[in-house]
Amino acid sequence: MQIETASTGDRDPGATVVITHRVCADKQAAYEAWLDEIGPLCRASPGYLDTHIIRPIPELTSTYTVIIRFDTKAHLQAWLESADRERLIAKAQPLLVEGDDFFVSSGLDFWFTPEGAKAQLPTRWKQFLATWSVIYPLVLAIPLLMLPLLRWLGVPGSRWLDTLIITGTIVFLMVYAIMPNYTRLIRRWLFD
């Protein structure tokens, strides 16, 4: 398997894989145990950076989304093609409604990848402007909204804690709420 990304230039910006697994309703406990088995092997792989697991909403969805980041495309490719991963993916197949579905991207490209992931990505300057146009108003507005709320909730005023909560809120909004919708809204300009 050869990983293709839309990265340009000589610098390797790292690579992210987004894995989607629809788990059979009666197999979620077994899948969680499988995650506990595959996780340490992934974390021990060269170039591993981090993992985020988005679990399904109980009694509403059955989809797990696993986002894994590596420092280089080569390290990610080595993990995806490793014997350990192949063995564990085969072990997980009976737990899944569908097969192992994943998409690989570099840098922040996954925000700008259209559905189907076969289209060309927008130029970096358009990605930059789109991201900046969302982050700038969030950086201005979120502290104005969050700081009074935090004080009202009794959270002690601490620059470090405030920054942690505010940046976490901004990233959450960017990844889950704003960028997926915003990129659809400006899709014509992005891919023009």
Side-chain angles (χ1 to χ4, degrees):
M1 159 192 341
Q2 181 62 36
I3 294 175
E4 293 182 18
T5 65
S7 297
T8 57
D10 296 332
R11 192 178 145 275
D12 190 336
T16 302
V17 62
V18 179
I19 303 165
T20 305
H21 286 157
R22 282 190 54 219
V23 179
C24 299
D26 59 338
K27 306 283 186 187
Q28 289 196 358
Y31 184 82
E32 287 284 344
W34 178 83
L35 285 173
D36 291 341
E37 186 177 355
I38 197 169
L41 294 173
C42 180
R43 287 189 291 275
S45 295
Y48 168 84
L49 295 175
D50 64 6
T51 301
H52 302 279
I53 301 172
I54 304 167
R55 288 177 166 77
I57 300 167
E59 300 180 24
L60 197 59
T61 64
S62 62
T63 303
Y64 283 77
T65 303
V66 181
I67 303 165
I68 307 170
R69 292 186 322 128
F70 279 80
D71 62 348
T72 66
K73 291 175 282 208
H75 282 141
L76 175 58
Q77 185 165 345
W79 164 247
L80 291 174
E81 294 176 349
S82 71
D84 284 335
R85 184 178 184 280
E86 287 182 23
R87 175 182 57 81
L88 287 166
I89 291 298
K91 183 177 179 179
Q93 289 302 328
L95 310 175
L96 306 178
V97 174
E98 298 168 344
D100 182 42
D101 183 24
F102 64 88
F103 171 72
V104 176
S105 181
S106 62
L108 295 177
D109 292 341
F110 68 91
W111 276 342
F112 300 96
T113 303
E115 205 153 312
K118 294 196 173 37
Q120 185 176 3
L121 293 172
T123 60
R124 293 274 182 193
W125 69 269
K126 287 185 177 183
Q127 292 180 40
F128 165 79
L129 287 178
T131 304
W132 188 22
S133 71
V134 174
I135 286 179
Y136 180 71
L138 287 175
V139 168
L140 292 176
I142 295 300
L144 294 174
L145 298 171
M146 292 294 296
L147 290 174
L149 177 64
L150 292 173
R151 298 302 87 80
W152 182 77
L153 292 172
V155 176
S158 161
R159 188 178 85 187
W160 302 106
L161 182 59
D162 290 346
T163 302
L164 177 71
I165 293 170
I166 288 168
T167 57
T169 302
I170 290 170
V171 171
F172 178 85
L173 290 171
M174 287 287 292
V175 172
Y176 293 105
I178 298 172
M179 287 309 283
N181 297 311
Y182 186 53
T183 54
R184 268 194 299 276
L185 180 68
I186 62 171
R187 178 184 178 113
R188 182 168 286 178
W189 174 76
L190 276 173
F191 296 97
D192 193 14

